[in-house]
Amino acid sequence: NLGSAELVEEVQTGTSKIVKVTGIAVPGQTVTVLIRGSNKLVLEEADRSIHDALCVIRCLVKKRALIAGGGAPEIELSLQLMEYANSLTGVEQYCFRSFAEALEVIPFTLAENAGLNPIATVTELRTKHANGEKTAGINVRKGAITNILEENVVQPLLVSISAIQLASETVRSILKIDDIVNCVR
């Protein structure tokens, strides 16, 4: 017995038909998402967006922790690494500075995608964080730097951790291939 439903019907939606099942007695924990669009490109973009949203939810289920969004954690980490780099010398200092600069690509890209001036926006964001405003982030709706937690712009911690780990491992692999970095962990 696969289950029962009050109604199973074929419904016309535009030029295509779908089978619609309603009134399930014992609904499970699954859902069907029907995506419609004017062309294949729109459908693929909608599919990617839904996939991204599901991945974010999965990360939140795995590790129930939220952090500020809007580039706030990346710029804060960048500033902290730059400060630490100043205490180092030689190749280590260069590596830490480069890593810190690479983290600034995230708020830069966010500003650019929001139609803001990325250089001015990241500079302002860096200044606010240097002045102790750790939750200052890029508010794409207002087109300004605001306290991103007050705006309820948050992201799962695991998303940021995973992105930074993956990027770091990729760079390490490239450097290892080029015999630039020792293989010591």
Side-chain angles (χ1 to χ4, degrees), residues 46 78-79 85 91 153 166 172:
S78 174
L79 284 173
V91 175
V153 178
L166 182 61
R172 183 176 172 80

Side-chain angles (χ1 to χ4, degrees), residues 101-153:
E101 288 170 9
L103 286 170
E104 290 187 1
V105 169
I106 295 168
F108 186 93
T109 304
L110 180 61
E112 198 171 43
N113 289 344
L116 303 171
N117 179 336
I119 296 172
T121 304
V122 172
T123 302
E124 182 184 350
L125 182 60
R126 194 182 307 122
T127 301
K128 288 193 180 255
H129 275 260
N131 292 333
E133 296 179 45
K134 293 182 186 289
T135 57
I138 301 169
N139 187 327
V140 297
R141 290 196 178 128
K142 293 183 178 177
I145 306 296
T146 62
N147 182 331
I148 216 73
L149 284 182
E150 288 177 1
E151 305 285 337
N152 289 322
V153 178

